[in-house]
Amino acid sequence: MATSRSRDGGAEWQIATVSSVDDESTRVKLFTLDLPDERAKAGFFAGQYYDLRLTAPDGYQAQRSYSITSSPDDPGSIELAIELITDGEVSSYFHEFVEVGDKIELRGPIGGHFTWLPMITKPVLFIAGGSGIAPIMSMLRHHASSNSTAPALLMFSARNEPDILYKDELERMADADQNLALILTLTRGVPDDWRGESRRIDKAMVDQSISQLVGENNLPDRAYVCGGSSFVESIGNYLLDVGMGHNDVRTERFGP
Amino acid sequence: MINNKFFGRRRPEPPRPIPPGQYLEDGFPVLSAGPTPRVDTATWGFSIEIEGNTVGSWSWDALNALPQTDLHTDLHCVTKWSKLDTAWRGVTIDTLLNDAGVEVPTGFVMAHCDGGYTTNVPAADVIDGKGLLVHTYDGEPLAPEHGGPVRLLIPHLYLWKSAKWVRSLKFMDQDSPGFWERYGYHMYGDPWREQRYTGD
Ligand SMILES: Cc1cc2nc3c(=O)[nH]c(=O)nc-3n(C[C@H](O)[C@H](O)[C@H](O)COP(=O)(O)OP(=O)(O)OC[C@H]3O[C@@H](n4cnc5c(N)ncnc54)[C@H](O)[C@@H]3O)c2cc1C
C-alpha cells in the first residue's frame, strides 16, 4: 500500500505563480499557487505538503514546508495557509511581500503517511490546533467532493473566534454532510453566543468526540492529529490511552 | 530563482558551516509520524539480527553494563533545522557487535522500532563509531518524545535515519526502503549532499 501511495512529485524544483492572496485571519493568509502543467498532472494526496524555497539576491536561501489545503480534485493549483510567526523568516516574507503574480520556487508533493484517501471508508477522527487545520482541510474538502460516506468528525481548537480558520466553510460542510460532524473549541475566551467548547482539548473532550463519532466503547479506525508539537504530543497520548493502535494515529507537527 | 525582496533573517551566523538548505535551531523540535509509544525499560530489549539469525540481544541493564561512549555532534533534520553541539551518551554499534562476538557485517541494515517505524542505511554507516544506541541526552535520560528510552543515532545522516524507540537492527544483503524511504525520502540521506528525497 505504501509504495503505490507515494505520489511524490519527485525532487525537482518548479516555479509556481501566485494567483491569489487572501487574509483568512489576523495571522493566517491563504495563497493560491498555479503549478506548472507537468507538475499539475501528477496530482497529490490530501495531507501532502510542498517545500518552498526563497533565494535572496546574494544567493542566501531558506526552505520551509507548507501543507496543501486545497482538494486533490483541482491539481492545477494548490492553496496554502501560512501563519505569520513572529520573526519567522519565511512566513513573514509571505505575509509582507508576496503578491498576485509573484513567482515562488517549490517542490513536491511530499509525504505519504499523513494522507487520507476516499477509499478509506471507515470512521475517521480529525483533530486540529490552529494552523494545523491546513492538511486536514484538504482531507475534509476531498471527503466532501468525493461524497465519501466515511463517518468523520473534526475537533478543531483555536484561540479566539476570529482565529478559527475556514469557519464558514467548515460549518457549511458540516451542515450539508450528515457524515461530517464539527466540534469547535476556543481556548482564550468565547463570544456571548458561542455554542462550542471553551477549553483546551483534554481527555474528556477526546472521549466525547469519539463516542459521538462511533458510539460508546468503539474506536475510530483512524485519527489525524495536526498542530503544534505539544498539542500533537498530548492528544497522541490520549488516543493511545483510549486504546487506538499506534499506526492508526497519524500525526503532523508544525513547530514548537 | 531570486526573490527580490527576500533578504532572510540570517540567524546567528553558524560557528561552522551547516549543510545546504538548513537553518540553525536552538530548541529541539519533535517530528514523528505518530504518537510517542509507551516504552518500559523493565521489559525493553534490543536485538541484532544478521541474515535472519539473532546474534545478540540485550536488556536495558545489559545495555547499560556495556562500555559507554560520549558523543558531541551536530544534528540535521530533513525538515530544515540543524542543531549544533548536542551531547549524547550510549553504546556504539561496534561495541554491541563485539559483545555479540560476530564479525562486522557488510551490506545494509534496517532499524526496527516500537510503533512500527523502520529506516534503512548501509551497514558501513553504523560501524566504526558512526552509529550508536543512545539513552542519555545532555546528561539526562532521553525523553520519550525524542526517542527515549533508546534511539539510534547516526548523526552524519538526516535525523530520520536516527530511529527513535529502536528495538532491533537487522543486517541484510540487499538494501530495502524503510518507512519514510517508501514515501519517497532518500535511501541514503546525506545532508551535505542535500539528499532529502528520491532523485536528490
Ligand atoms: C510537514 C510540515 C508542514 C507544515 N505545514 C504548514 C502549514 O500548512 N502552514 C503553516 O503556517 N506552517 C506549516 N509548517 C510550519 C512551517 O514549515 C514553518 O516552520 C513555519 O512557517 C515557520 O517558519 P518561519 O521561517 O516563518 O519561522 P522561523 O524563522 O523558522 O522560526 C522563527 C521562530 O518561531 C518558532 N516557530 C517556528 N514555527 C512555529 C510555529 N508553527 N508556531 C510557533 N512558533 C514557531 C521557531 O522555533 C523560531 O524560534 C509545516 C511544517 C512541516 C514540518
Side-chain angles (χ1 to χ4, degrees), chain B:
Chain B
M1 197 202 87
I2 306 273
N3 302 94
N4 272 316
K5 295 185 194 116
F6 180 68
F7 296 98
R9 218 171 57 126
R10 324 205 177 202
R11 303 171 233 220
E13 192 59 32
R16 54 185 168 276
I18 56 173
Q22 297 292 107
Y23 67 90
L24 273 192
E25 171 68 54
D26 292 329
F28 196 164
V30 175
L31 289 133
S32 319
T36 299
R38 285 27 186 317
V39 185
D40 182 359
T41 52
T43 52
W44 183 88
F46 178 80
S47 65
I48 292 184
E49 262 184 32
I50 300 178
E51 296 301 325
N53 303 312
T54 303
V55 298
S57 52
W58 295 267
S59 66
W60 171 250
D61 290 340
L63 183 79
N64 281 281
L66 291 171
Q68 304 290 309
T69 300
D70 287 307
L71 184 70
H72 281 78
T73 187
D74 301 343
L75 306 178
H76 310 294
C77 177
V78 72
T79 64
K80 324 292 176 334
W81 55 270
S82 290
K83 185 172 173 57
L84 301 185
D85 297 316
T86 58
W88 301 89
R89 188 174 178 78
V91 176
T92 63
I93 306 305
D94 306 315
T95 300
L96 292 166
L97 291 168
N98 187 38
D99 191 54
V102 291
E103 257 178 62
V104 173
T106 54
F108 300 87
V109 61
M110 185 75 82
H112 292 259
C113 306
D114 279 312
Y117 184 80
T118 54
T119 189
N120 58 301
V121 294
D125 286 84
V126 298
I127 58 169
D128 290 336
K130 288 187 224 148
L132 284 82
L133 292 192
V134 291
H135 48 66
T136 301
Y137 169 68
D138 217 6
E140 304 285 338
L142 180 59
E145 65 270 26
H146 289 302
V150 176
R151 80 182 290 169
L152 185 61
L153 184 66
I154 315 174
H156 68 287
L157 300 179
Y158 281 125
L159 207 53
W160 90 80
K161 299 285 187 180
S162 293
K164 296 175 180 181
W165 316 298
V166 67
R167 293 296 293 270
S168 67
L169 290 184
K170 297 186 180 176
F171 288 90
M172 54 207 183
D173 268 348
Q174 306 253 312
D175 201 4
S176 92
F179 180 87
W180 286 121
E181 292 82 5
R182 280 198 299 270
Y183 288 129
Y185 280 65
H186 202 275
M187 290 291 271
Y188 186 61
D190 179 355
W192 296 96
R193 287 185 277 165
E194 211 174 348
Q195 292 172 335
R196 298 180 197 277
Y197 312 118
T198 309
D200 277 353

Side-chain angles (χ1 to χ4, degrees), chain A residues 16 72 98 109 139 142 144 154 196 223 250:
Chain A
V98 173
M139 297 179 191
H142 203 193
L154 168 66
R250 309 267 165 123

